[in-house]
Amino acid sequence: MDKTAKKKAREAVTELELKFIEAVEHGRLRAELTYDQLGICIGMSQSQVSKRQDGLIRYTVREMHYIGKLLGVDPLVMTAGLGTWLNDINPAQVQHRLEALTPPAIE
């Protein structure tokens, strides 16, 4: 693969990643989630989520899958950019899915 093709491939991935990051942010806000709650879904800290949202660390396919599952949206739809799928996010349903992932507190 020549240098021009490699550069174009990197730019294409970056564009998809940026669209996904933007979609996660809008979806998170629509679902009324904090970075901490989003981190619970994908098994990481608020700081690690923040670094992914800032573009310092890439989301893995696994993380994308779990975020999509939490929001009730196919991650491939999210990578296509913002759209009407945001209107379908129901904060109460997202909270219910999140609670199913969270172990009960020990008293």
Side-chain angles (χ1 to χ4, degrees):
M1 186 182 284
D2 66 21
K3 288 183 181 186
T4 305
K6 285 182 183 179
K7 182 179 178 188
K8 285 184 180 181
R10 280 195 302 272
E11 288 172 357
V13 170
T14 301
E15 184 178 330
L16 285 176
E17 288 172 338
L18 291 175
K19 283 184 179 183
F20 185 76
I21 288 168
E22 180 182 30
V24 169
E25 188 63 15
H26 285 274
R28 180 186 72 80
L29 293 172
R30 175 81 172 123
E32 301 172 5
L33 293 173
T34 65
Y35 278 179
D36 194 42
Q37 291 171 312
L38 190 59
I40 289 169
C41 168
I42 53 180
M44 62 183 58
S45 70
Q46 174 272 330
S47 174
Q48 291 170 312
V49 173
S50 182
K51 287 178 183 176
R52 281 161 177 76
Q53 285 300 105
D54 290 341
L56 301 174
I57 300 174
R58 291 181 170 175
Y59 278 105
T60 66
V61 172
R62 179 189 151 284
E63 292 162 356
M64 293 170 72
H65 167 76
Y66 284 116
I67 290 170
K69 196 170 183 178
L70 177 66
L71 297 177
V73 180
D74 187 322
L76 292 176
V77 171
M78 294 173 71
T79 59
L82 303 179
T84 58
W85 60 267
L86 281 167
N87 298 329
D88 297 333
I89 294 176
N90 180 321
Q93 290 176 346
V94 172
Q95 192 63 40
H96 179 72
R97 287 191 287 265
L98 183 64
E99 287 170 2
L101 297 171
T102 309
I106 299 173
E107 295 184 27

